[in-house]
């Protein structure tokens, strides 16, 4: 059984930075997609950043240049470095893992992600 545990959320003023971590417990696959998603109050959950097992990242437009997704395979940990945070980044952030075969690469299609963490809250004040 795969378990994902996020940490690192909190409150920060606009322009500040936060770093999220997602520890992966359980069976590890050599080919996967890992991603960060977020859900703001009253809004649908959306993809923020995903990373392929070879390290290739993909970002949603609103976070390009501000957020960086990375992974430490030795520690089975996924990271999201968030800089120049804006109030509109306020949301519950979830990490997710997709262990399916994705010949076209990773996507933000949420149904493809088999495992989800419990979420960590990020609040950005103006």
């Amino acid at each position: 059984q795969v378990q994902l545990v996020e940490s690192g959320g909190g409150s920060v003023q606009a322009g500040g930075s936060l770093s999220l971590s997602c520890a992966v417990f359980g069976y590890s696959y050599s080919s996967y997609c890992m991603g960060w998603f977020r859900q703001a109050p009253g809004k649908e959950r959306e993809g923020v950043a995903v990373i392929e097992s070879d390290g290739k990242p993909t970002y949603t437009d609103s976070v390009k240049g501000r957020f960086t997704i990375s992974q430490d395979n030795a520690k089975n940990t996924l990271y999201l470095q968030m800089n120049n945070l804006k109030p509109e980044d306020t949301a519950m952030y979830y990490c997710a893992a997709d262990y399916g075969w994705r010949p076209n690469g990773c996507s933000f299609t949420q149904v493809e992600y088999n495992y989800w963490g419990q979420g960590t809250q990020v609040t950005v004040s103006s």
Side-chain angles (χ1 to χ4, degrees), residues 27-50:
Y27 192 79
S28 296
Y29 293 81
S30 59
S31 178
Y32 55 81
C33 295
M34 295 287 297
W36 289 97
F37 296 78
R38 66 186 180 187
Q39 187 168 21
K43 295 186 177 181
E44 294 186 352
R45 189 166 57 188
E46 64 173 354
V48 175
V50 296

Side-chain angles (χ1 to χ4, degrees), residues 74-119:
K75 296 181 179 180
N76 285 338
T77 302
L78 178 73
Y79 302 98
L80 185 68
Q81 178 64 40
M82 304 183 293
N83 298 327
N84 190 20
L85 282 159
K86 303 176 180 181
E88 51 264 42
D89 295 318
T90 295
M92 184 71 78
Y93 282 71
Y94 301 89
C95 70
D98 168 16
Y99 294 121
W101 183 59
R102 306 295 174 199
N104 295 323
C106 301
S107 75
F108 291 126
T109 304
Q110 297 183 39
V111 294
E112 295 180 347
Y113 288 80
N114 317 88
Y115 301 97
W116 293 80
Q118 80 287 353

